[in-house]
Amino acid sequence: MPRKSTNIIITGFMATGKSTVGQILAARLQRPFIDTDAVISRKAGLSIPEIFEQYGEEDFRKREKEFLVYLQDKVHLVVATGGGMLVPPANLQLALETNWVVCLNASPEEIEQRIGKEDNRPLASEWEKVWEERQEFYQKIPIQVDTNNKEPLTIAEEIEKLWKKK
Ligand code: S3P
């Protein structure tokens, strides 16, 4: 696929700023922005916590996979994934086939601060365990961007530079 049309996928753990950074990046590059959680939620007519409650996590993962497959023949998008979308190795492999994928990282201390106590993410209460389990999977993503102590605009600019010199 020609470089200029490739989708940019921003992934990484919960609360690493994927959606905020993705929106800024999309505006800078004048591309449409898609948030996979928002689309899955809209299609279901339910919030993400409601999908987890009513259908369970496995069902949510199927919806994520379906959406990832759907993205494969799309172009020019900036996509922010839910934090678990590219954790299954088959999903990551698929994403890397036709998209440019970047993983955002944050320290556990930053994640804790950002998730806070009021968070309504279904996995928020067990985020530490999930974080530990997933590190090896996130580390397989070739492009990593550290978000600790950085503003979303700075992170978007960093990604834009990496993208432009790819
Ligand atoms: C999840 C992260 C959430 C959302 C769902 C599951 C995960 O998205 O997709 O609650 O498994 O890490 P964010 O990463 O945007 O919080």
Side-chain angles (χ1 to χ4, degrees), residues 9-25:
I9 298 188
I10 302 176
T11 196
F13 196 66
M14 289 177 255
T16 49
K18 301 179 290 290
S19 300
T20 311
V21 169
Q23 281 175 60
I24 298 171
L25 183 67

Side-chain angles (χ1 to χ4, degrees), residues 14 18 37 48 52 60-61 64 82-84 121-123 134:
M14 289 177 255
K18 301 179 290 290
D37 276 352
I48 301 295
F52 270 67
F60 173 72
R61 300 301 171 197
E64 280 192 315
R121 290 176 175 93
L123 301 177
R134 289 188 182 167

Side-chain angles (χ1 to χ4, degrees), residues 6-10 95 98-102 143 159 162-163 166:
T6 311
N7 295 324
I8 297 174
I9 298 188
I10 302 176
T98 54
N99 307 280
W100 188 76
V101 181
V102 55
I143 303 166
I159 298 173
L162 291 170
W163 162 252
K166 93 180 173 70

